Amino acid sequence: ADLVFNSTQALNQLNEIIHPAVRKDFQNWMASQQGQIVFKEAAIIFEHGLEQELDAVWVVDAPAELRIARVMSRSDLTRKQVEQRIANQLSPATYLSKAAFVIQNDDLHPIIPQLIHALKSLEK
């Protein structure tokens, strides 16, 4: 992580190795699913053009400070390390502008009602 999040070249090389394998694995998994709706979780959808393979992109959003605190608490990373990782992603504003639906995960808005509303919007 220290290498790839401090070197654009190393990060790009890693992504060129990882993403084709993850894409193939997801396609295999998706082919085995029977449901009408399949979700794909990915942190860097737009950075790698993955949105072209999807019908819609839902973005889960939270305030920056809350996101940083959550990552630090679950991953034992420093603030600087988390900020370095965030710096390699598109801005939240970019994600929000491209989202078909936004789920607020800010500890103020219950998530389940938002998901129900989003799922119902697919029925229209």
Side-chain angles (χ1 to χ4, degrees):
D2 286 340
L3 173 65
V4 297
F5 289 114
N6 288 304
S7 166
T8 302
Q9 181 181 3
L11 181 58
N12 289 338
Q13 287 175 331
L14 178 64
N15 284 332
E16 287 175 16
I17 294 167
I18 297 295
H19 290 290
V22 170
R23 179 177 280 131
K24 184 177 179 180
D25 185 59
F26 180 75
Q27 289 169 343
N28 290 339
W29 175 83
M30 191 171 65
S32 71
Q33 301 307 302
Q34 301 298 315
Q36 294 179 3
I37 300 172
V38 175
F39 287 91
K40 179 178 191 173
E41 187 282 326
I44 50 179
I45 296 268
F46 299 113
E47 288 87 341
H48 296 283
L50 299 176
E51 75 278 8
Q52 296 170 16
E53 302 171 9
L54 308 171
D55 293 323
V57 175
W58 293 8
V59 171
V60 178
D61 188 43
E65 285 302 317
L66 183 55
R67 287 186 285 124
I68 290 168
R70 287 174 175 167
V71 173
M72 288 173 60
S73 70
R74 76 170 177 255
S75 302
D76 198 32
L77 295 172
T78 66
R79 181 180 188 87
K80 182 179 178 183
Q81 290 170 314
V82 174
E83 289 173 343
Q84 284 176 320
R85 293 175 187 204
I86 291 172
N88 286 296
Q89 299 174 355
L90 294 174
S91 72
T94 300
Y95 272 86
L96 295 174
S97 72
K98 295 181 177 198
F101 202 86
V102 177
I103 305 294
Q104 292 296 330
N105 186 10
D106 57 7
D107 295 337
L108 300 174
H109 300 88
I111 293 174
I112 299 299
Q114 294 178 75
L115 291 172
I116 291 169
H117 176 72
L119 288 167
K120 285 183 179 181
S121 74
L122 295 177
E123 296 172 359
K124 296 177 182 178

